[in-house]
Amino acid sequence: MHIRPARSVDAKALKILDEVAHNQPSRQAYIDRAVESKQCFVALDDSRPVGYAVLSYQFYDNGWVDLLYVGRDSRRRGIGVTLLAHLAQNCTTPKLFASTNQSNKPMQALLEKAGFESSGVIHNLDAGDPELVYSKLLDRDAV
């Protein structure tokens, strides 16, 4: 597997890979913006996209895992943890944050496996399903 910055030619393949994008024009537009802004990284297996992640700095000027998606047929193969490690390596701030719904147990396990720890809870984003916030210290001397 190889991870690299997504290119404009990757956007179409990412929209096909991402099942949410099939029915959500807003997700398709999001992918286009993430690729265009060079915040998107794509995981390739034999030059075929199998996952992607978006790194932004919108969370109090810290690194933020804006989105991580692994194709259904490629899950449970270490792609998610590898993408998170790649984002951590490329993050320019000493802390990297991420979040997921309380109901999303696989993502919680992935974040913990990648060395993230619980940082808090945000209520009222999704009714009845709080958002769990995670953080990872990347450079303990800079904090």
Side-chain angles (χ1 to χ4, degrees):
M1 180 179 45
H2 173 67
I3 298 175
R4 63 163 170 74
R7 303 175 188 144
S8 57
V9 297
D10 296 319
K12 182 178 179 181
L14 295 180
K15 291 179 220 174
I16 292 169
L17 175 71
D18 185 334
E19 293 175 6
V20 175
H22 296 179
N23 299 313
Q24 281 189 9
S26 61
R27 179 75 152 240
Q28 294 173 24
Y30 171 84
I31 291 169
D32 288 334
R33 285 191 311 273
V35 170
E36 183 178 313
S37 67
K38 305 201 182 313
Q39 295 179 319
C40 185
F41 295 87
V42 62
L44 302 162
D45 187 10
D46 292 329
S47 74
R48 179 181 63 90
V50 292
Y52 71 99
V54 178
L55 174 64
S56 72
Y57 296 92
Q58 65 188 26
F59 191 70
Y60 300 97
D61 295 326
N62 289 289
W64 177 257
V65 180
D66 210 40
L67 181 70
L68 185 141
Y69 188 90
V70 176
R72 183 176 301 278
D73 296 340
S74 300
R75 294 178 186 163
R76 309 276 189 266
R77 292 184 21 213
I79 295 165
V81 76
T82 302
L83 278 164
L84 287 172
H86 188 83
L87 294 187
Q89 182 179 11
N90 285 275
C91 184
T92 61
T93 62
K95 297 179 227 173
L96 179 59
F97 288 85
S99 72
T100 188
N101 287 95
Q102 187 175 40
S103 64
N104 191 342
K105 301 298 184 196
M107 185 62 176
Q108 292 170 45
L110 174 62
L111 288 167
E112 290 168 9
K113 183 176 182 180
F116 285 75
E117 54 188 50
S118 178
S119 282
V121 179
I122 301 171
H123 294 277
N124 302 316
L125 287 175
D126 295 323
D129 196 5
E131 193 77 9
L132 306 180
V133 180
Y134 289 80
S135 64
K136 182 173 185 173
L137 297 178
L138 304 177
D139 182 2
R140 296 188 191 279
D141 295 333
V143 176

